[in-house]
Amino acid sequence: MNIKPIGRVDNGVYKRTDEHDWDSIISTIIVDSELEEALDGIEEYSHIVVLFWLDRAKQDDLLKVKVPYGPKDLNPQGVFATRIPQRPNPIGVSTVELLSRAANMLHVIGLDAFHGTPVLDIKPYTGYKREFVLNFHVPEWAQYLAQEGREAAQ
């Protein structure tokens, strides 16, 4: 399997801190110039889905992890039941608001990726039923994540 980046993230955020809120971070996705034509029409969408490589995530062979955002007494969870970056294939995905396009650059808000992160793919967010689930449930320990998602969708 060969995957190559189509671009990189530019936002000046080099490491995670408690001082920033990903929902308010404005980023520029700089798509490789030879792929600029592939962006034609993207500006007609309000949101896009960005897939990116979590290139700075520490890679472990862990199958279970202690969830940093769950209750302190929560038992370790399977890595696929979490959103932590330590995964067998460190692929991140975010649906973000597309603010504007300028040639091969997409200006977005809410992308939770560090400066320089390789971008693997960009897809338009269409709101099609498979992309947006109204009636969903999550474990009790992850309720606040679900609530944030429901509020953001309104």
Side-chain angles (χ1 to χ4, degrees), residues 83-102:
R83 291 189 53 89
I84 68 162
Q86 293 79 17
R87 329 188 62 73
N89 291 308
I91 298 171
V93 61
S94 284
T95 301
V96 298
E97 183 177 355
L98 177 61
L99 301 175
S100 65
R101 174 190 173 195

Side-chain angles (χ1 to χ4, degrees), residues 5-72:
I6 63 163
R8 301 234 176 249
V9 174
D10 180 7
N11 62 13
V13 178
Y14 293 89
K15 64 180 183 174
R16 181 175 290 280
T17 69
D18 292 334
E19 298 171 15
H20 62 265
D21 172 22
W22 287 115
D23 290 340
S24 64
I25 302 280
I26 295 177
S27 300
T28 300
I29 300 170
I30 303 171
V31 175
D32 292 345
S33 57
E34 66 270 11
L35 298 174
E36 180 180 337
E37 191 175 333
L39 294 171
D40 288 352
I42 198 78
E43 59 276 359
E44 298 295 321
Y45 293 88
S46 65
H47 291 76
I48 58 174
V49 179
V50 182
L51 286 89
F52 48 96
W53 193 258
L54 300 166
D55 61 326
R56 286 170 223 151
K58 184 178 122 185
Q59 293 308 300
D60 294 317
D61 291 330
L62 297 176
L63 299 179
K64 289 196 166 198
V65 295
K66 181 74 175 152
V67 180
Y69 46 81
K72 301 284 185 227

Side-chain angles (χ1 to χ4, degrees), residues 126-148:
T126 64
Y128 185 66
K129 67 180 180 178
R130 285 184 238 157
E131 294 176 353
F132 186 74
V133 179
L134 290 175
N135 297 315
F136 64 95
H137 67 274
V138 300
E140 187 174 321
W141 61 266
Q143 287 294 320
Y144 88 95
L145 292 173
Q147 185 58 35
E148 283 183 6

